[in-house]
Amino acid sequence: MREVRVRFAPSPTGALHIGGVRTALYNFLLARQLKGTMILRIEDTDQNRYVPGAEEYILQSLAWVGIKIDEGVGVGGPYAPYRQSERKPIYMQYAQQLIDSGNAYYAFDTEDELEVMRERLKTAGVALPQYNSITRMQMRNSLTLLEEEVKQLLEAKTPYVVRLKVPRKEEVRLNDMIRGWVMVHSSQIDDKVLMKSDGMPTYHLANVVDDYLMKISHVIRGEEWLPSAPLHVLLYKYLGWEKEMPQFAHLPLLLKPTGDGKLSKRDADQMGFPIFPIDWIDPNTKEKAIGFREAGYLPEALINFLAFLGWNPGTQQEIFSLDELINAFSVERIGKAGTKFDIHKAQWFNQQYLRAKSDEALAEYLLDSLSKENISCTKEKAAKIASIMRERITFPKDLWEHGKFFFHAPTTFDENVASKRWNDDAVKVLNAYKIELPTLATFDAPTAKATLEKVTSELGIGTGKILQALRLSITGAGAGPDLMMVMEIIGKDEVMKRIEYALKTLNVKVA
RNA sequence: GGUCUGUUCGUCUAGGGGUUAGGACACCAGAUUUUCAUUCUGGUAACACGGGUUCGAUUCCCGUACAGACUACCA
């Protein structure tokens, strides 16, 4: 059986889109499952669109989500270089081969001449003017010009492109692993430019040549490539590489959460979720886009979420580690239809992965946040906080954001709760409780509770009636984790201080 | 406009000629939690439409509608 070699081949034209990460993931899963090789190739044949830093960004993003590159940019390998701009000399020789075999030709038409041709055809009623088997005979190319003229133009260094000579009548067939047989008539394909006038190949040529040279066995890419796949098939055929042609799998697109259309950065911005794996600062606009990493998504959760966008194992299991994904993955189970991007599901996966962590691991997240705030805290205390906060967080940063009261006494109180729960009974109980606390030798959740119950029963007031008021004075809010545990963690002295402060500031308001 | 691809609950999807069309997320309700969250239980909710083929179609075929992609010397 053929050795499995797959590639992820992004262009460094900006940040890596989350859809690109999924494409990389599917490639990676297949490679790992079939003991193959995962290759990273950078398709930077368009110098105009090159964005500095994009390549580094791609590398970092893949590393963060755990997609390991076996060969290619950043790691090297037997088919180096893996950056197409560095492979420039390779492509012309294959273009030449196509010209020599009569499957491609030189075209000297200028932008203006092309424009004139399109206009002329449009007025003649052709909806979509193309450079094709019919129109090429009216243009300036090596098919219409005399051999001598062509030679002179080339020697005079006249700018030219190399175009594929697409046959007029031919059924081009392609067996896609996801979509089955796809047939396109060659009359629908135009004479695509293979080599640009700057000497760089276009995607089509570079892609086919490199996939062949790098012995790629499977091309897994986005559905946007499906329309040009027949063209690639033609290229393999004319280059004499039909037997080596990789298997194709065209992935369904990622769609925007509401409405229709493919997922764009705009949608993500509007709905307030990331679309890039890690933070990206646009070098031109200096605009910063928050990444999934910085937003608090765990890489393993993101991967699990992404894997399920368009694929499923056919079982009820939903939580999959990377190793489990590698085992369960199969191209056959990839869906055909476009997939709407639902950030809720991503959050749910994140929660699941976060909860599976130990208190100690969660404590590290909290400690991270605290160090940014210059707050010191022992590991033990952080772990204790983590243990009572673990069921109520979606992101690691929630530990701090929802638990600030562990470190800062409230300065304001939720007015809604205060107006409903802060009453004479509450004040009576809190005053008595405050007096009772100093007599306690030890202070923990059980004693805090027992003492409170003792006070309330002596006063003949139901504990439940005033618990909200107590919570309000300790945390400033009406909702939160187990109050007795909270008090244990912040300690007796702090509890007393907070009750006193609340009594002082809230009494005035309610009176 | 043309070509290609697609269409099962709001979303991700399972399924497949005869099923109470299954699960998950989200949503709603109840229970637990004297709060909130969690957890548990339950609920709402789908085969785009029209023709065939068939005893029978959501499933197969053909149309239609809708959607998306592509239609550059961008990838």
Side-chain angles (χ1 to χ4, degrees):
Chain A
M1 203 181 122
R2 166 131 82 143
E3 188 195 348
V4 171
R5 291 174 58 82
V6 298
R7 87 291 193 284
F8 178 54
S11 320
T13 54
L16 180 61
H17 186 281
I18 196 68
V21 178
R22 187 194 58 165
T23 303
L25 175 65
Y26 284 7
N27 273 286
F28 178 72
L29 293 177
L30 187 75
R32 281 291 177 275
Q33 181 180 70
L34 301 178
K35 308 278 178 261
T37 306
M38 172 74 178
I39 296 154
L40 176 68
R41 187 171 70 217
I42 296 291
E43 310 223 329
D44 55 351
T45 53
D46 186 355
Q47 288 141 342
N48 302 320
R49 294 212 308 158
Y50 178 79
V51 174
E55 183 185 303
E56 186 56 27
Y57 179 91
I58 291 165
L59 254 18
Q60 284 177 4
S61 296
L62 295 178
W64 175 63
V65 295
I67 294 175
K68 200 174 162 296
I69 303 301
D70 301 314
E71 186 182 315
V73 171
V75 293
Y79 301 95
Y82 292 92
R83 216 174 266 115
Q84 288 183 330
S85 59
E86 293 170 14
R87 300 170 63 80
K88 191 172 172 182
I90 297 173
Y91 306 109
M92 190 58 210
Q93 80 186 72
Y94 290 102
Q96 192 62 53
Q97 184 188 326
L98 288 167
I99 293 169
D100 293 345
S101 63
N103 294 117
Y105 58 92
Y106 297 104
F108 301 97
D109 315 279
T110 62
E111 284 290 341
D112 291 346
E113 286 167 338
L114 289 172
E115 194 49 42
V116 168
M117 178 268 277
R118 291 188 187 114
E119 280 310 311
R120 185 168 51 83
L121 288 175
K122 252 185 208 163
T123 50
V126 178
L128 198 89
Q130 280 190 325
Y131 205 118
N132 60 22
S133 60
I134 303 185
T135 55
R136 67 180 166 229
M137 295 321 285
Q138 290 146 28
M139 305 302 288
R140 295 205 311 135
N141 53 51
S142 59
L143 263 23
T144 59
L145 266 21
L146 294 172
E147 201 173 314
E148 197 54 32
E149 286 178 290
V150 173
K151 212 175 150 192
Q152 277 172 16
L153 284 167
L154 290 176
E155 274 167 10
K157 305 260 190 245
T158 313
Y160 67 88
V161 300
V162 176
R163 285 183 182 270
L164 182 67
K165 192 176 160 195
V166 176
R168 196 208 271 253
K169 285 190 207 170
E170 191 177 316
E171 191 79 9
V172 186
R173 297 166 6 120
L174 150 83
N175 195 202
D176 187 271
M177 288 194 282
I178 295 172
R179 286 153 217 286
W181 284 104
V182 176
M183 272 165 269
V184 178
H185 195 87
S186 64
S187 62
Q188 300 301 327
I189 305 172
D190 61 345
D191 285 2
K192 282 270 181 282
V193 170
L194 264 20
M195 292 295 295
K196 300 184 267 190
S197 55
D198 65 0
M200 277 291 198
T202 57
Y203 171 86
H204 307 292
L205 211 226
N207 193 260
V208 167
V209 167
D210 285 345
D211 283 347
Y212 169 75
L213 258 20
M214 295 176 185
K215 299 192 162 37
I216 300 301
S217 61
H218 302 261
V219 169
I220 303 173
R221 79 235 290 194
E223 194 186 357
E224 68 267 27
W225 293 110
L226 192 53
S228 56
L231 172 79
H232 304 154
V233 170
L234 235 32
L235 242 15
Y236 279 101
K237 182 178 160 189
Y238 294 153
L239 256 0
W241 301 337
E242 269 183 307
K243 287 201 303 290
E244 290 84 4
M245 189 168 78
Q247 283 199 270
F248 292 100
H250 289 94
L251 266 23
L253 262 19
L254 256 32
L255 273 21
K256 53 179 73 181
T258 54
D260 304 298
K262 68 174 175 182
L263 181 64
S264 70
K265 181 174 178 302
R266 256 181 83 152
D267 305 310
D269 289 347
Q270 271 175 10
M271 308 198 61
F273 61 82
I275 192 168
F276 300 141
I278 59 183
D279 273 5
W280 167 253
I281 296 166
D282 189 298
N284 296 318
T285 63
K286 303 290 172 211
E287 205 180 316
K288 182 176 166 183
I290 302 286
F292 276 92
R293 180 177 68 186
E294 289 76 8
Y297 289 86
L298 304 176
E300 54 275 36
L302 218 214
I303 284 300
N304 198 154
F305 167 66
L306 246 26
F308 271 70
L309 248 33
W311 171 86
N312 77 84
T315 64
Q316 304 285 70
Q317 186 184 348
E318 291 211 82
I319 301 296
F320 279 79
S321 67
L322 192 54
D323 283 342
E324 287 175 312
L325 284 173
I326 288 167
N327 263 312
F329 187 73
S330 73
V331 178
E332 291 71 36
R333 294 202 64 88
I334 296 175
K336 296 182 195 331
T339 301
K340 285 189 181 163
F341 191 86
D342 184 7
I343 198 66
H344 286 295
K345 197 92 177 197
Q347 289 171 351
W348 178 79
F349 274 112
N350 213 52
Q351 254 175 42
Q352 300 302 310
Y353 277 86
L354 215 43
R355 282 179 201 170
K357 292 192 180 287
S358 66
D359 287 347
E360 288 67 30
L362 292 179
E364 288 302 319
Y365 290 128
L366 177 58
L367 261 11
D368 274 356
S369 299
L370 290 174
S371 74
K372 282 180 199 145
E373 301 285 329
N374 284 318
I375 297 170
S376 61
C377 173
T378 63
K379 283 193 175 185
E380 291 69 29
K381 184 176 172 188
K384 239 173 158 178
I385 293 172
S387 82
I388 62 169
M389 294 295 284
R390 63 180 314 122
E391 297 299 329
R392 34 209 329 128
I393 55 170
T394 304
F395 301 113
K397 62 176 193 241
D398 292 344
L399 250 10
W400 159 246
E401 301 203 337
H402 297 173
K404 288 184 181 171
F405 56 81
F406 285 111
F407 304 95
H408 294 311
T411 49
T412 57
F413 301 92
D414 187 318
E415 289 184 22
N416 220 316
V417 181
S419 67
K420 272 192 220 150
R421 306 289 180 164
W422 193 267
N423 50 38
D424 289 350
D425 281 353
V427 171
K428 265 188 232 165
V429 171
L430 290 184
N431 269 313
Y433 193 47
K434 186 187 68 179
I435 293 165
E436 200 70 31
L437 287 179
T439 67
L440 265 31
T442 55
F443 183 73
D444 56 17
T447 57
K449 190 174 187 195
T451 310
L452 180 65
E453 277 164 355
K454 184 179 152 220
V455 169
T456 50
S457 72
E458 277 170 12
L459 290 167
I461 296 167
T463 309
K465 286 210 172 118
I466 56 86
L467 205 76
Q468 286 285 79
L470 212 209
R471 178 183 293 284
L472 190 68
S473 56
I474 303 296
T475 70
D482 184 86
L483 187 55
M484 301 306 148
M485 280 303 299
V486 171
M487 293 201 291
E488 173 181 322
I489 291 168
I490 65 177
K492 187 169 74 173
D493 293 346
E494 180 67 17
V495 167
M496 290 196 301
K497 264 195 247 168
R498 291 188 188 188
I499 292 175
E500 245 165 70
Y501 178 77
L503 246 16
K504 213 165 58 192
T505 49
L506 280 168
N507 257 345
V508 186
K509 281 186 190 167
V510 177

